[in-house]
């Protein structure tokens, strides 16, 4: 029986290497020399397969964070930073694929279906962090739940896009973008805006010069 | 009446935050900048905006040890020549760089050492003990050995270059120089600032100088940990004791013998490097020294060192000689070698520069020519300041232009002025003739 991992790998491989678009699940299965029903045992469509790729990035990140003893001890802002650093380490192994899909992040108005489950998981994760932050007094109480959480998705999209365009060695600039933008985000909801805004603004200014 | 745009921005903090975040991340820096101005609550005139930017840029620059200030200071030889307003601005601007987050520290450790801080050290302070100019210093330990761990902020080298680009026109205006003239010096400063961002280089400079100077009495160095250091992480032995700054504040004039001893150690350390090594620790700042409980001078921070080219050394120190200073022809010869007088200058200009530099050099060389000098002497420093101020207002000199002198002089002047200032603050009397003569030391 074919594994979901093999399906995902081959699908990515096809997207990145093959010039011909895949016409159907059947065509894909023929290439892999598997029965079509083996594909459907895992996924209902290419979209659900690709959704699983992104969900996989997210799950791997959370799994990796779970192995870090100090993660639990950090305040929520540091947890968020930890999440991003880990997440981009994982994305690094799949950079070609993410670059292939960069359009989805440069035009975030139209969210492709395959990103929706990933975004939902991310939002749930942020919700938990925000709740934890409110409880611990790190974040001011929100009059309307959820209002604060979308911006974090915007931040995620901003950072993925930034990383796609990052040509610095070891993607050091992405580290800087993570550090400064997360700081800004949290300062906005917990106090002093100005320093973080200037710090981040200056950083962005350098990127456009 | 239609509402102004600002008014339509939701006032609630949360709304503002979320609106700002989602818009901000999409359009990036410009909006952030715009919003930042609004967030301050002040009027958003172009002028106030420029002012805020300028101030911010200056603040940032002084964090990076003041690129502009450095250029300005070095060119004018003395910071008294800087307009007071600028000085205050520079002095007041505080360290705005936020500390590195725990996760980024961990990531940096993983990248360079393949281990977490807690795996490398038995103990590692989660909070930084000191903010360094381009990084931060943590205290760590293995067994009963304590270590200083300096970790660099990301993107520092990049921002130095862009800051200098922004700062160039400001500095040129401040110094009344053409950009072309300024660039000759800016290059020297820029290359030094960039060097400071490479901790591998700092490590090897520190190891070299400390090994060569280890025999000097009263001077001690931290032991560097090469195997734990890299581009962005520098690990060395922790030196216990108050910084020279704190020592001076606490001892203000009460322990003259102690001050003399430390002052002599400082002088010996610098003279030995300049005259015997040909490379010098070029950042004599009171934060870069600690006084150990044995009363020794502990030297830190080898990020900025200056190699002294032989030809420059020969012309520069030839001037520390009464006979040369008093002799027009000889003085001119060396001033030409040091690029202060140009061959194409008119005879009148040459003559005037000789006079001016005779005065400056005579003054600056006084402690060395005297052989033994009491640096607590206020009148000496007042004389330097007054001359500096007078020269800064000198119309004739202004017309001649101040962009003169070899680029190598920048860091050497800075080193000596820093040293003089430290000795003055200490109120020390020192023998200034130590280690001057190459041959003598080689024979001994
Ligand atoms: N080995 C050390 N022992 C004790 N304190 C240290 C040590 N190294 C650095 N520090 C402290 O950290 C501060 C900043 O370190 P420094 O190397 O001077 O950084 P920078 O190059 O940014 O000036 C120092 O002024 C000193 O107070
Ligand atoms: Mg220092």
């Amino acid at each position: 029986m074919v594994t979901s991992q093999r399906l995902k790998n081959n699908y990515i491989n096809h997207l990145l290497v093959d010039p011909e678009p895949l016409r159907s699940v059947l065509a894909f299965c023929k290439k892999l020399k598997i029965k079509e029903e083996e594909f459907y045992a895992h996924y209902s469509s290419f979209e659900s397969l690709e959704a699983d790729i992104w969900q996989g990035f997210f799950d791997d990140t959370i799994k990796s964070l779970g192995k870090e003893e100090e993660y639990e001890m950090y305040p929520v802002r540091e947890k968020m930073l930890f999440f991003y650093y880990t997440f981009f380490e994982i994305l690094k192994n799949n950079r070609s694929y993410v670059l292939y899909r960069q359009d989805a992040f440069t035009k975030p108005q139209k969210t492709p279906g395959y990103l929706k489950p990933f975004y939902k998981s991310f939002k749930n994760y942020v919700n938990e962090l925000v709740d934890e932050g409110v409880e611990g007094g790190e974040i001011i109480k929100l009059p309307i739940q959820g209002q604060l959480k979308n911006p974090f998705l915007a931040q995620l999209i901003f950072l993925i896009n930034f990383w796609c365009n990052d040509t610095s060695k070891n993607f050091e600039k992405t580290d800087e973008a993570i550090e400064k933008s997360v700081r800004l985000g949290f300062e906005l909801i917990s106090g002093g805006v100005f320093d973080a805004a200037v710090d981040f603004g200056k950083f962005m200014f350098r990127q456009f010069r | 009446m239609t509402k102004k745009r600002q008014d339509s921005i939701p006032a609630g903090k949360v709304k503002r935050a979320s609106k700002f975040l989602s818009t901000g991340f999409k359009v990036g820096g410009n909006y952030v900048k715009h919003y930042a101005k609004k967030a301050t609550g002040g009027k958003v005139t172009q002028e106030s905006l420029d002012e805020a930017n300028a101030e911010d840029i200056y603040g940032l620059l002084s964090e990076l040890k003041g690129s502009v200030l450095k250029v300005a200071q070095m060119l004018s030889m003395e910071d008294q020549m800087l307009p007071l307003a600028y000085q205050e601005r520079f002095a007041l601007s505080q360290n705005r760089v936020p500390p590195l987050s725990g996760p980024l520290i961990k990531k940096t450790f993983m990248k360079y050492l393949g281990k977490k801080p807690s795996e490398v050290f038995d103990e590692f302070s989660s909070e930084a003990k000191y903010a360094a100019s381009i990084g931060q210093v943590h205290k760590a330990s293995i067994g009963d050995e304590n270590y200083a761990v300096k970790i660099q902020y990301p993107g520092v080298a990049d921002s130095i270059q862009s800051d200098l680009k922004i700062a160039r026109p400001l500095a040129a205006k401040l110094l009344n120089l053409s950009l072309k003239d300024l660039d000759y010096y800016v290059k020297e400063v820029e290359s030094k600032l960039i060097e400071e961002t490479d901790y591998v280089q700092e490590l090897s400079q520190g190891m070299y100088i400390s090994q060569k100077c280890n025999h000097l009495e009263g001077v001690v160095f931290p032991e560097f940990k090469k195997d734990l250091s890299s581009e962005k992480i520098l690990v060395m032995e922790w030196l216990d004791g108050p910084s020279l700054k704190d020592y001076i504040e606490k001892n203000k004039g009460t322990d003259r013998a102690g001050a003399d001893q430390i002052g002599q150690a400082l002088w010996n350390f610098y003279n030995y490097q300049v005259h015997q090594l040909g490379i010098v620790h070029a950042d004599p700042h009171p934060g870069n020294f600690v006084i150990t409980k044995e009363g020794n001078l502990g030297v830190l921070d080898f990020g900025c060192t200056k190699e002294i080219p032989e030809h420059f050394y020969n012309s520069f120190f030839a001037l520390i000689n009464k006979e040369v200073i008093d002799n027009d022809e000889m003085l001119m010869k060396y001033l030409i070698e040091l690029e202060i007088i140009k061959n194409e200058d008119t005879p009148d200009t040459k003559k005037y520069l000789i006079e001016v530099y005779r005065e400056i050099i005579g003054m600056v060389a006084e402690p060395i020519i005297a052989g033994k000098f009491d640096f607590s002497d206020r009148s000496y420093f007042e004389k330097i300041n007054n001359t500096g101020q007078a020269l800064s207002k000198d119309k004739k000199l202004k017309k001649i232009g101040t962009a003169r002198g070899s680029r190598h002089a920048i860091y050497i002047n800075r080193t000596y002025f820093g040293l003089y200032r430290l000795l003055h603050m200490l109120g020390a009397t020192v023998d200034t003739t130590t280690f001057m003569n190459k041959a003598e030391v080689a024979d001994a």
Side-chain angles (χ1 to χ4, degrees), chain B residues 181-246:
Chain B
D181 286 344
L182 183 72
D183 276 347
Y184 170 70
Y185 301 102
V186 168
K187 275 211 194 83
E188 168 87 357
V189 175
E190 181 170 0
S191 72
K192 286 283 152 208
L193 289 173
I194 297 289
E195 264 175 47
E196 279 189 59
T197 64
D198 183 358
Y199 286 172
V200 173
Q201 180 153 355
E202 178 166 346
L203 176 92
S204 66
Q205 287 164 348
M207 286 174 68
Y208 178 77
I209 293 179
S210 57
Q211 185 234 324
K212 292 285 185 188
C213 293
N214 217 2
H215 66 280
L216 294 173
E217 213 172 301
V219 187
V220 295
F221 301 90
E223 194 182 308
F224 290 90
K225 287 279 159 204
K226 195 173 177 182
D227 52 332
L228 295 179
S229 299
S230 56
E231 250 172 276
K232 306 279 183 221
I233 303 176
L234 182 63
V235 183
M236 72 195 102
E237 178 189 348
W238 183 272
L239 287 188
D240 258 323
S243 72
L244 185 54
K245 183 168 173 267
D246 294 341

Coordinates of all heavy atoms in Angstrom, one line a residue, chain B residues 181-246:
Chain B
D181 N 35.3 64.4 -0.6 CA 36.3 64.5 0.4 C 36.0 63.6 1.6 O 36.8 62.9 2.2 CB 36.5 65.9 0.9 CG 37.2 66.8 -0.1 OD1 37.8 66.2 -1.0 OD2 37.1 68.0 0.0
L182 N 34.7 63.7 2.0 CA 34.3 62.9 3.1 C 34.4 61.4 2.9 O 34.8 60.7 3.8 CB 32.8 63.2 3.4 CG 32.2 62.6 4.7 CD1 32.8 63.2 5.9 CD2 30.7 62.6 4.7
D183 N 34.2 61.0 1.7 CA 34.2 59.5 1.4 C 35.5 58.8 1.7 O 35.5 57.7 2.1 CB 33.7 59.3 0.0 CG 32.2 59.2 -0.1 OD1 31.6 59.2 1.0 OD2 31.7 59.3 -1.2
Y184 N 36.6 59.6 1.5 CA 37.9 59.0 1.8 C 38.0 58.6 3.2 O 38.5 57.5 3.5 CB 38.9 60.1 1.5 CG 40.3 59.8 1.9 CD1 41.1 58.9 1.2 CD2 40.9 60.6 2.9 CE1 42.4 58.6 1.6 CE2 42.2 60.3 3.3 CZ 43.0 59.4 2.7 OH 44.2 59.1 3.1
Y185 N 37.4 59.4 4.1 CA 37.4 59.0 5.5 C 36.3 58.1 5.9 O 36.5 57.2 6.7 CB 37.3 60.3 6.4 CG 38.4 61.3 6.1 CD1 38.1 62.4 5.3 CD2 39.7 61.1 6.6 CE1 39.2 63.3 5.0 CE2 40.7 62.0 6.3 CZ 40.4 63.1 5.5 OH 41.4 64.0 5.2
V186 N 35.1 58.3 5.3 CA 34.0 57.4 5.6 C 34.4 55.9 5.3 O 34.0 55.0 6.0 CB 32.7 57.8 4.8 CG1 31.7 56.7 4.9 CG2 32.2 59.1 5.4
K187 N 35.1 55.7 4.2 CA 35.5 54.4 3.9 C 36.3 53.7 5.0 O 36.1 52.6 5.3 CB 36.4 54.4 2.6 CG 35.6 54.4 1.3 CD 36.3 53.7 0.2 CE 35.6 53.9 -1.1 NZ 36.0 55.2 -1.7
E188 N 37.3 54.5 5.5 CA 38.1 54.0 6.6 C 37.2 53.6 7.8 O 37.3 52.5 8.4 CB 39.1 55.0 7.1 CG 39.8 54.7 8.4 CD 41.1 53.9 8.2 OE1 41.3 53.5 7.0 OE2 41.8 53.6 9.2
V189 N 36.3 54.5 8.1 CA 35.4 54.2 9.3 C 34.4 53.1 9.0 O 34.2 52.2 9.8 CB 34.6 55.5 9.6 CG1 33.6 55.2 10.8 CG2 35.5 56.6 10.0
E190 N 33.9 53.1 7.8 CA 33.0 52.0 7.4 C 33.7 50.6 7.5 O 33.1 49.7 8.1 CB 32.4 52.2 6.0 CG 31.5 51.1 5.6 CD 30.7 51.5 4.3 OE1 31.0 52.5 3.7 OE2 29.9 50.6 3.9
S191 N 34.9 50.6 7.0 CA 35.6 49.3 7.0 C 35.8 48.8 8.4 O 35.8 47.6 8.8 CB 36.8 49.3 6.2 OG 37.8 50.0 6.8
K192 N 36.1 49.8 9.3 CA 36.4 49.4 10.7 C 35.1 49.0 11.4 O 35.1 48.0 12.1 CB 36.9 50.6 11.5 CG 38.4 50.9 11.2 CD 39.3 50.0 11.9 CE 40.6 49.8 11.1 NZ 41.2 48.5 11.3
L193 N 34.0 49.7 11.1 CA 32.7 49.3 11.7 C 32.3 47.9 11.2 O 31.8 47.1 12.0 CB 31.6 50.3 11.3 CG 31.8 51.7 12.0 CD1 30.7 52.6 11.5 CD2 31.6 51.5 13.5
I194 N 32.5 47.6 9.9 CA 32.2 46.3 9.4 C 33.0 45.2 10.0 O 32.5 44.2 10.4 CB 32.3 46.3 7.8 CG1 31.4 47.3 7.2 CG2 32.1 44.9 7.3 CD1 29.9 46.9 7.2
E195 N 34.3 45.6 10.2 CA 35.2 44.6 10.9 C 34.7 44.2 12.3 O 34.8 43.1 12.7 CB 36.6 45.2 11.1 CG 37.6 44.9 10.0 CD 38.9 45.6 10.2 OE1 39.4 45.7 11.4 OE2 39.4 46.2 9.3
E196 N 34.1 45.2 12.9 CA 33.6 45.0 14.3 C 32.5 44.0 14.3 O 32.2 43.5 15.4 CB 33.2 46.3 14.9 CG 34.3 47.1 15.5 CD 33.8 48.3 16.3 OE1 33.1 48.1 17.3 OE2 34.1 49.5 15.9
T197 N 31.8 43.8 13.2 CA 30.7 42.9 13.2 C 31.2 41.4 13.0 O 30.4 40.5 13.0 CB 29.7 43.2 12.0 OG1 30.4 43.0 10.8 CG2 29.2 44.6 12.2
D198 N 32.5 41.2 12.8 CA 33.0 39.9 12.7 C 33.7 39.4 13.9 O 34.8 39.8 14.2 CB 34.0 39.8 11.5 CG 34.5 38.4 11.2 OD1 34.1 37.5 12.0 OD2 35.2 38.2 10.3
Y199 N 33.0 38.6 14.7 CA 33.6 38.2 16.0 C 34.8 37.3 15.9 O 35.6 37.1 16.8 CB 32.5 37.6 16.9 CG 31.5 38.6 17.5 CD1 30.4 38.2 18.2 CD2 31.7 40.0 17.4 CE1 29.5 39.1 18.7 CE2 30.8 40.9 17.9 CZ 29.7 40.5 18.6 OH 28.8 41.4 19.1
V200 N 34.8 36.6 14.7 CA 36.0 35.8 14.5 C 37.3 36.6 14.4 O 38.3 36.3 15.0 CB 35.9 34.9 13.2 CG1 37.1 34.2 12.9 CG2 34.7 34.0 13.3
Q201 N 37.1 37.7 13.7 CA 38.3 38.7 13.7 C 38.6 39.3 15.1 O 39.7 39.4 15.4 CB 37.9 39.8 12.7 CG 39.0 40.8 12.6 CD 39.1 41.4 11.2 OE1 38.3 41.1 10.3 NE2 39.9 42.4 11.0
E202 N 37.5 39.6 15.8 CA 37.7 40.2 17.1 C 38.5 39.2 18.0 O 39.4 39.5 18.7 CB 36.4 40.5 17.8 CG 36.5 41.1 19.2 CD 35.3 41.8 19.7 OE1 34.3 42.1 18.9 OE2 35.2 42.0 20.9
L203 N 38.1 37.9 17.8 CA 38.7 36.9 18.6 C 40.2 36.8 18.3 O 41.1 36.8 19.2 CB 38.1 35.5 18.3 CG 38.7 34.3 19.0 CD1 38.1 34.0 20.3 CD2 38.6 33.1 18.1
S204 N 40.5 36.8 17.0 CA 42.0 36.6 16.7 C 42.8 37.9 17.0 O 43.9 37.8 17.5 CB 42.1 36.2 15.2 OG 41.7 37.3 14.4
Q205 N 42.1 39.1 16.9 CA 42.8 40.3 17.3 C 43.1 40.3 18.8 O 44.1 40.6 19.3 CB 42.0 41.5 17.0 CG 42.0 41.8 15.5 CD 40.8 42.8 15.1 OE1 39.9 43.0 15.8 NE2 40.9 43.3 13.9
G206 N 42.0 39.9 19.5 CA 42.1 39.8 21.0 C 43.2 38.8 21.4 O 44.0 39.1 22.3
M207 N 43.2 37.6 20.8 CA 44.2 36.6 21.1 C 45.6 37.1 20.8 O 46.5 36.9 21.6 CB 43.9 35.3 20.4 CG 42.7 34.6 21.0 SD 42.1 33.1 20.2 CE 43.5 32.0 20.5
Y208 N 45.7 37.8 19.7 CA 47.1 38.2 19.3 C 47.6 39.3 20.3 O 48.7 39.1 20.9 CB 47.0 38.8 17.9 CG 48.4 39.3 17.4 CD1 49.4 38.4 17.0 CD2 48.6 40.7 17.4 CE1 50.6 38.9 16.6 CE2 49.9 41.2 17.0 CZ 50.9 40.3 16.6 OH 52.1 40.8 16.2
I209 N 46.8 40.3 20.5 CA 47.3 41.4 21.3 C 47.5 40.9 22.8 O 48.4 41.3 23.4 CB 46.3 42.6 21.2 CG1 46.4 43.2 19.8 CG2 46.7 43.7 22.3 CD1 45.5 44.4 19.6
S210 N 46.5 40.1 23.3 CA 46.7 39.7 24.7 C 47.9 38.8 24.8 O 48.6 38.9 25.9 CB 45.4 39.0 25.2 OG 45.1 37.9 24.4
Q211 N 48.2 38.0 23.9 CA 49.4 37.1 24.0 C 50.6 38.0 24.0 O 51.5 37.8 24.8 CB 49.4 36.1 22.8 CG 50.5 35.1 22.9 CD 51.2 35.1 21.6 OE1 50.7 35.3 20.5 NE2 52.6 34.9 21.7
K212 N 50.7 39.0 23.1 CA 51.9 39.8 22.9 C 52.0 40.8 24.1 O 53.1 41.2 24.4 CB 51.8 40.7 21.7 CG 51.9 39.8 20.4 CD 53.3 39.4 20.2 CE 53.5 38.7 18.8 NZ 54.8 38.1 18.7
C213 N 50.9 41.1 24.8 CA 51.0 42.1 25.9 C 50.9 41.5 27.3 O 50.9 42.2 28.3 CB 49.9 43.2 25.7 SG 50.1 44.2 24.2
N214 N 50.8 40.2 27.3 CA 50.6 39.5 28.6 C 51.7 39.8 29.6 O 51.4 39.8 30.8 CB 50.5 38.0 28.3 CG 49.5 37.4 29.2 OD1 48.8 38.1 30.0 ND2 49.3 36.1 29.1
H215 N 52.9 40.1 29.1 CA 54.0 40.3 30.1 C 54.0 41.7 30.7 O 54.7 41.9 31.7 CB 55.3 40.1 29.3 CG 55.5 41.2 28.3 ND1 55.0 41.1 27.0 CD2 56.2 42.3 28.3 CE1 55.3 42.2 26.4 NE2 56.1 42.9 27.1
L216 N 53.1 42.6 30.2 CA 53.1 43.9 30.7 C 52.6 43.9 32.2 O 51.5 43.3 32.4 CB 52.2 44.8 29.9 CG 52.7 45.1 28.5 CD1 51.7 45.9 27.7 CD2 54.0 45.9 28.5
E217 N 53.3 44.6 33.0 CA 52.9 44.5 34.4 C 51.6 45.3 34.7 O 51.4 46.4 34.1 CB 54.0 45.2 35.3 CG 54.1 44.6 36.6 CD 55.4 45.1 37.3 OE1 56.5 45.0 36.8 OE2 55.2 45.7 38.4
G218 N 50.7 44.7 35.5 CA 49.5 45.4 35.8 C 48.4 45.4 34.8 O 47.3 46.0 34.9
V219 N 48.6 44.6 33.7 CA 47.6 44.5 32.6 C 47.2 43.1 32.5 O 48.1 42.2 32.4 CB 48.2 45.0 31.3 CG1 47.0 45.1 30.2 CG2 48.8 46.4 31.4
V220 N 45.9 42.8 32.5 CA 45.5 41.4 32.4 C 44.4 41.3 31.3 O 43.7 42.3 30.9 CB 44.9 40.8 33.7 CG1 46.0 40.7 34.7 CG2 43.7 41.6 34.2
F221 N 44.2 40.1 30.7 CA 43.3 39.9 29.6 C 42.4 38.7 29.9 O 42.9 37.8 30.6 CB 44.1 39.6 28.3 CG 45.0 40.8 27.9 CD1 46.3 40.8 28.4 CD2 44.5 41.8 27.2 CE1 47.2 41.9 28.0 CE2 45.4 42.9 26.8 CZ 46.7 42.9 27.3
P222 N 41.2 38.7 29.4 CA 40.4 37.5 29.5 C 41.0 36.5 28.6 O 41.5 36.8 27.5 CB 39.0 38.0 29.1 CG 39.2 39.1 28.2 CD 40.5 39.8 28.7
E223 N 40.8 35.2 29.0 CA 41.2 34.1 28.1 C 40.1 33.9 27.1 O 38.9 33.8 27.5 CB 41.5 32.9 28.9 CG 42.3 31.8 28.2 CD 42.4 30.6 29.0 OE1 42.9 30.7 30.2 OE2 42.1 29.5 28.6
F224 N 40.4 33.9 25.8 CA 39.4 33.7 24.8 C 39.1 32.2 24.6 O 40.0 31.4 24.6 CB 39.8 34.4 23.5 CG 39.8 35.9 23.6 CD1 41.0 36.5 24.0 CD2 38.7 36.6 23.3 CE1 41.0 37.9 24.1 CE2 38.7 38.0 23.4 CZ 39.8 38.6 23.8
K225 N 37.9 31.9 24.3 CA 37.5 30.5 24.0 C 37.2 30.3 22.6 O 36.1 30.5 22.1 CB 36.2 30.2 24.8 CG 36.4 30.0 26.3 CD 37.0 28.7 26.6 CE 37.7 28.6 27.9 NZ 38.7 27.6 28.0
K226 N 38.3 29.9 21.9 CA 38.2 29.8 20.4 C 37.2 28.8 20.0 O 36.4 29.0 19.0 CB 39.6 29.5 19.9 CG 39.7 29.7 18.4 CD 41.1 29.5 17.9 CE 41.2 29.7 16.4 NZ 42.5 29.5 15.9
D227 N 37.2 27.7 20.6 CA 36.3 26.6 20.2 C 34.8 26.9 20.4 O 34.0 26.2 19.8 CB 36.7 25.3 20.9 CG 36.7 25.4 22.4 OD1 37.0 26.5 22.9 OD2 36.4 24.4 23.1
L228 N 34.5 27.9 21.2 CA 33.1 28.2 21.4 C 32.7 29.5 20.6 O 31.6 29.9 20.7 CB 32.8 28.4 22.9 CG 32.9 27.1 23.7 CD1 32.6 27.4 25.2 CD2 32.0 26.0 23.2
S229 N 33.7 30.1 19.9 CA 33.4 31.4 19.3 C 33.2 31.2 17.8 O 33.6 30.3 17.2 CB 34.5 32.3 19.5 OG 34.7 32.6 20.9
S230 N 32.4 32.2 17.2 CA 32.2 32.2 15.8 C 31.8 33.6 15.4 O 31.9 34.5 16.2 CB 31.0 31.2 15.5 OG 29.9 31.7 16.3
E231 N 31.5 33.7 14.1 CA 31.1 35.1 13.6 C 30.2 35.9 14.5 O 30.4 37.1 14.6 CB 30.3 34.8 12.3 CG 30.9 35.2 11.0 CD 29.9 34.7 9.9 OE1 30.0 33.5 9.6 OE2 29.1 35.4 9.5
K232 N 29.2 35.2 15.1 CA 28.2 36.0 15.8 C 28.2 35.7 17.3 O 27.4 36.3 18.1 CB 26.8 35.6 15.3 CG 26.6 35.8 13.9 CD 26.3 37.2 13.5 CE 26.1 37.3 12.0 NZ 26.7 38.4 11.4
I233 N 29.1 34.8 17.8 CA 29.2 34.5 19.2 C 30.6 34.6 19.6 O 31.5 33.9 19.0 CB 28.6 33.1 19.5 CG1 27.2 32.9 19.0 CG2 28.7 32.8 21.0 CD1 26.6 31.5 19.2
L234 N 30.9 35.3 20.7 CA 32.3 35.4 21.2 C 32.3 35.0 22.6 O 31.5 35.6 23.4 CB 32.8 36.9 21.0 CG 34.2 37.2 21.4 CD1 35.2 36.3 20.5 CD2 34.5 38.6 21.2
V235 N 33.1 34.1 23.0 CA 33.1 33.6 24.3 C 34.5 33.8 24.9 O 35.5 33.5 24.3 CB 32.8 32.1 24.4 CG1 32.7 31.6 25.9 CG2 31.4 31.8 23.8
M236 N 34.5 34.4 26.1 CA 35.8 34.6 26.8 C 35.6 34.5 28.3 O 34.4 34.5 28.8 CB 36.4 35.9 26.4 CG 35.7 37.1 27.0 SD 36.1 38.7 26.3 CE 34.7 38.9 25.2
E237 N 36.7 34.4 29.0 CA 36.6 34.4 30.5 C 36.0 35.7 31.0 O 36.1 36.7 30.4 CB 38.1 34.3 30.9 CG 38.3 34.4 32.4 CD 39.8 34.6 32.7 OE1 40.7 34.4 31.7 OE2 40.2 34.8 33.8
W238 N 35.2 35.5 32.0 CA 34.5 36.7 32.6 C 35.5 37.4 33.6 O 36.1 36.7 34.4 CB 33.3 36.2 33.4 CG 32.5 37.4 34.0 CD1 32.8 38.0 35.3 CD2 31.4 38.1 33.5 NE1 31.9 39.0 35.5 CE2 31.0 39.1 34.4 CE3 30.8 38.0 32.2 CZ2 30.0 40.0 34.1 CZ3 29.7 38.8 32.0 CH2 29.3 39.8 32.9
L239 N 35.7 38.7 33.3 CA 36.6 39.4 34.2 C 35.8 40.1 35.3 O 34.9 41.0 35.0 CB 37.4 40.5 33.5 CG 38.5 39.9 32.6 CD1 39.4 41.1 32.1 CD2 39.4 38.9 33.3
D240 N 36.0 39.8 36.6 CA 35.3 40.4 37.6 C 35.8 41.7 38.0 O 37.0 42.0 37.9 CB 35.4 39.5 38.9 CG 34.1 38.7 39.1 OD1 33.0 39.3 38.8 OD2 34.1 37.5 39.4
G241 N 35.0 42.6 38.5 CA 35.5 43.9 38.9 C 34.7 45.1 38.3 O 34.0 44.9 37.3
P242 N 34.8 46.2 38.9 CA 34.1 47.4 38.4 C 34.7 47.8 37.1 O 35.9 47.6 36.9 CB 34.3 48.5 39.5 CG 35.5 48.1 40.2 CD 35.6 46.6 40.1
S243 N 33.9 48.4 36.2 CA 34.5 49.0 35.0 C 35.3 50.2 35.4 O 35.2 50.7 36.5 CB 33.3 49.4 34.0 OG 32.7 50.6 34.5
L244 N 36.2 50.6 34.5 CA 37.0 51.7 34.8 C 36.2 53.0 35.1 O 36.5 53.8 35.9 CB 37.9 52.0 33.5 CG 39.0 53.1 33.7 CD1 39.8 52.9 34.9 CD2 39.9 53.2 32.5
K245 N 35.0 53.0 34.4 CA 34.1 54.2 34.6 C 33.6 54.2 36.1 O 33.7 55.2 36.7 CB 32.9 54.0 33.7 CG 31.9 55.1 33.7 CD 31.0 55.0 32.5 CE 29.8 56.0 32.6 NZ 28.6 55.4 33.3
D246 N 33.2 53.0 36.5 CA 32.7 52.9 37.9 C 33.8 53.2 38.9 O 33.7 53.8 39.9 CB 32.1 51.6 38.2 CG 30.8 51.4 37.4 OD1 30.3 52.4 36.9 OD2 30.4 50.2 37.2

